[in-house]
Amino acid sequence: MGTQIKALLKLATQRKTVREFKRAIPSVENIEEVLNTVCQAPSGSNMQPWRFMVIDDPKLKTGIRQAAEIGEKAFHEKLSEEKKNKYQTMGVSWQKPMLEQAPILIAVLSDRNSPNSKPSVWLAVGYLVLGLEAVGLGSVTYTPSDYKKVQAVLEVPDEFKLETILPIGYSNDSKVKGYRKPLEEVTYRNRWGEPLKR
Amino acid sequence: MGTQIKALLKLATQRKTVREFKRAIPSVENIEEVLNTVCQAPSGSNMQPWRFMVIDDPKLKTGIRQAAEIGEKAFHEKLSEEKKNKYQTMGVSWQKPMLEQAPILIAVLSDRNSPNSKPSVWLAVGYLVLGLEAVGLGSVTYTPSDYKKVQAVLEVPDEFKLETILPIGYSNDSKVKGYRKPLEEVTYRNRWGEPLKR
């Protein structure tokens, strides 16, 4: 196995989703290193339709949490009993304390006027979560149920759309990494269901 | 700068989009290493809604190219003269020889029944393009203008949606990496337009 893929596999494998954070504040230099990496990503017509808002203002974080929770509460109330129970089992509720407790949030926005902006921005989010892991920072991609409410708090131009907010910081989350399906379950060769290796 | 972020920044920086390929065939082992890395990505409710079809059957590649070009031709014919000229300047036409000439195509599909499947799959595509670079393989994320035509050739179950096809192989593309905006243009702190560093 080559050096570069070995390092990348290690990075990807060691990364797990983090929703609980220590109080220690990540350095701006680390954030810069990560975002410089992210900005190397490809995008539709190379439009680089991403914008990143690094948020460490406590009042703003509280406002984001409140706006997000209004949307989550409405979403959870509309769920069927079956789905409600399913979310409960998964430990998911309408409450999003991580939006206030993480020392930093990174809001990721897409330019609505760029072609394929949503795919391009999410591809870059793949770079972002790997980059954060590479500087020892935990993260989770939180996608608001009602993004407009949260976007209103951010006061961004209308031509940009809030795609996700990542609470980031040093992990204080004891949860282990989630189960991953074996490659055979998700990879085929030439025809649906055919194994990669014959 | 830490070792891991330095390595990731190097990988991300060295990667450029590749549309012309050598005839040499990438090994299945390399493809496996890359896809094992990709499968470590996070996803909505950890549903891992991605499927990968590794395509090296020449007839299937030709069929994919033909289906894709029908969609691209229709798309290009509908363009305004201004946009037509713009695409011409960028060297983009309805023709997609790379879909036939690349030794391998990787079709990436999303499970329509999973929550947030499109964002999750595109995040994983970020892992994928980095992984391919890490084993020395060039790629481009081709998104068909009319994905249904291409999907029909692949004969996949209806609950899956074709998101993108990546022609992959060893680069024979002399084009340099596209210009990247400086970080200041795309990153703000707390408020739109405020610089990250004060």
Side-chain angles (χ1 to χ4, degrees):
Chain A
M1 212 173 179
T3 318
Q4 285 195 308
I5 187 67
K6 207 171 165 183
L8 190 68
L9 176 58
K10 181 170 177 279
L11 190 68
T13 305
Q14 84 192 18
R15 187 198 177 275
K16 60 164 193 166
T17 293
V18 169
R19 293 185 183 82
E20 291 178 38
F21 303 92
K22 293 183 181 153
R23 290 181 141 226
I25 297 168
S27 74
V28 177
E29 286 66 34
N30 273 348
I31 305 288
E32 264 194 314
E33 290 165 0
V34 172
L35 292 176
N36 271 323
T37 304
V38 175
C39 289
Q40 294 296 324
S43 56
S45 303
N46 192 25
M47 293 295 280
Q48 304 163 58
W50 40 69
R51 296 294 182 280
F52 305 99
M53 292 181 77
V54 178
I55 296 159
D56 59 355
D57 175 352
K59 271 193 201 163
L60 193 52
K61 286 194 293 169
T62 302
I64 288 167
R65 176 184 176 176
Q66 286 169 347
E69 288 185 342
I70 292 170
E72 297 311 328
K73 218 169 173 175
F75 173 78
H76 276 259
E77 276 165 6
K78 270 186 256 166
L79 287 175
S80 65
E81 280 305 309
E82 192 199 332
K83 282 213 166 162
K84 249 180 215 166
N85 290 336
K86 200 182 148 193
Y87 277 108
Q88 217 154 25
T89 320
M90 286 163 65
V92 178
S93 85
W94 58 269
Q95 287 166 303
K96 301 294 168 197
M98 61 190 185
L99 293 172
E100 206 171 359
Q101 287 163 6
I104 293 182
L105 307 178
I106 299 182
V108 183
L109 300 108
S110 64
D111 184 344
R112 298 179 200 265
N113 297 322
S114 285
N116 286 323
S117 64
K118 192 185 192 82
S120 298
V121 166
W122 278 96
L123 188 156
V125 174
Y127 278 53
L128 178 55
V129 298
L130 285 169
L132 290 166
E133 178 65 33
V135 296
L137 291 170
S139 69
V140 49
T141 55
Y142 165 66
T143 307
S145 291
D146 184 347
Y147 82 88
K148 286 183 185 170
K149 282 207 170 53
V150 184
Q151 174 150 350
V153 177
L154 293 175
E155 296 181 0
V156 302
D158 286 341
E159 63 259 43
F160 290 89
K161 179 183 184 293
L162 177 65
E163 295 287 348
T164 181
I165 295 187
L166 292 89
I168 70 167
Y170 295 99
S171 174
N172 201 21
D173 198 329
S174 54
K175 264 199 195 166
V176 296
K177 182 169 175 129
Y179 165 82
R180 290 298 187 276
K181 297 173 188 170
L183 192 57
E184 305 82 70
E185 271 184 39
V186 296
T187 304
Y188 309 128
R189 177 114 167 232
N190 291 315
R191 295 183 68 86
W192 194 263
E194 291 285 316
L196 180 58
K197 274 186 173 171
R198 290 158 205 177
Chain B
M1 212 172 181
T3 318
Q4 286 196 308
I5 186 66
K6 207 171 166 182
L8 190 67
L9 176 58
K10 180 171 179 277
L11 190 68
T13 305
Q14 85 191 20
R15 187 199 176 276
K16 60 164 195 166
T17 293
V18 169
R19 292 186 184 80
E20 291 178 38
F21 303 92
K22 292 183 181 153
R23 291 182 140 226
I25 297 167
S27 74
V28 177
E29 286 65 36
N30 273 345
I31 305 289
E32 263 195 313
E33 288 165 2
V34 171
L35 292 176
N36 270 323
T37 304
V38 174
C39 288
Q40 293 297 323
S43 57
S45 304
N46 191 27
M47 292 296 278
Q48 306 163 57
W50 42 68
R51 295 294 182 281
F52 307 99
M53 290 181 78
V54 178
I55 296 158
D56 60 354
D57 175 351
K59 270 193 200 163
L60 192 53
K61 287 195 293 169
T62 301
I64 289 168
R65 176 183 177 178
Q66 286 169 348
E69 288 185 342
I70 292 170
E72 298 310 329
K73 217 168 174 176
F75 173 77
H76 275 260
E77 276 165 7
K78 270 186 256 168
L79 288 175
S80 65
E81 281 305 309
E82 191 199 334
K83 284 213 164 164
K84 251 180 216 166
N85 290 336
K86 201 183 151 195
Y87 278 107
Q88 217 154 27
T89 320
M90 288 163 64
V92 179
S93 85
W94 59 269
Q95 286 166 303
K96 302 295 168 198
M98 62 190 184
L99 293 172
E100 208 171 358
Q101 287 163 6
I104 292 181
L105 308 178
I106 299 182
V108 183
L109 300 109
S110 64
D111 183 344
R112 299 180 199 266
N113 296 322
S114 285
N116 286 320
S117 64
K118 192 185 193 82
S120 297
V121 167
W122 279 96
L123 188 158
V125 174
Y127 278 52
L128 178 54
V129 298
L130 285 169
L132 289 166
E133 178 65 33
V135 295
L137 291 171
S139 69
V140 50
T141 55
Y142 165 66
T143 308
S145 292
D146 184 348
Y147 82 88
K148 284 182 185 172
K149 282 209 170 53
V150 184
Q151 174 150 352
V153 178
L154 293 175
E155 297 182 359
V156 303
D158 286 341
E159 61 259 44
F160 290 89
K161 178 182 183 294
L162 178 65
E163 295 286 348
T164 181
I165 294 187
L166 291 90
I168 70 167
Y170 296 100
S171 175
N172 201 20
D173 197 329
S174 55
K175 264 200 193 164
V176 296
K177 182 170 175 131
Y179 165 82
R180 289 298 187 276
K181 298 173 187 170
L183 193 57
E184 305 81 70
E185 271 184 40
V186 295
T187 304
Y188 309 127
R189 179 115 165 231
N190 290 316
R191 294 184 68 87
W192 194 262
E194 290 285 316
L196 180 58
K197 274 188 170 168
R198 291 158 207 176

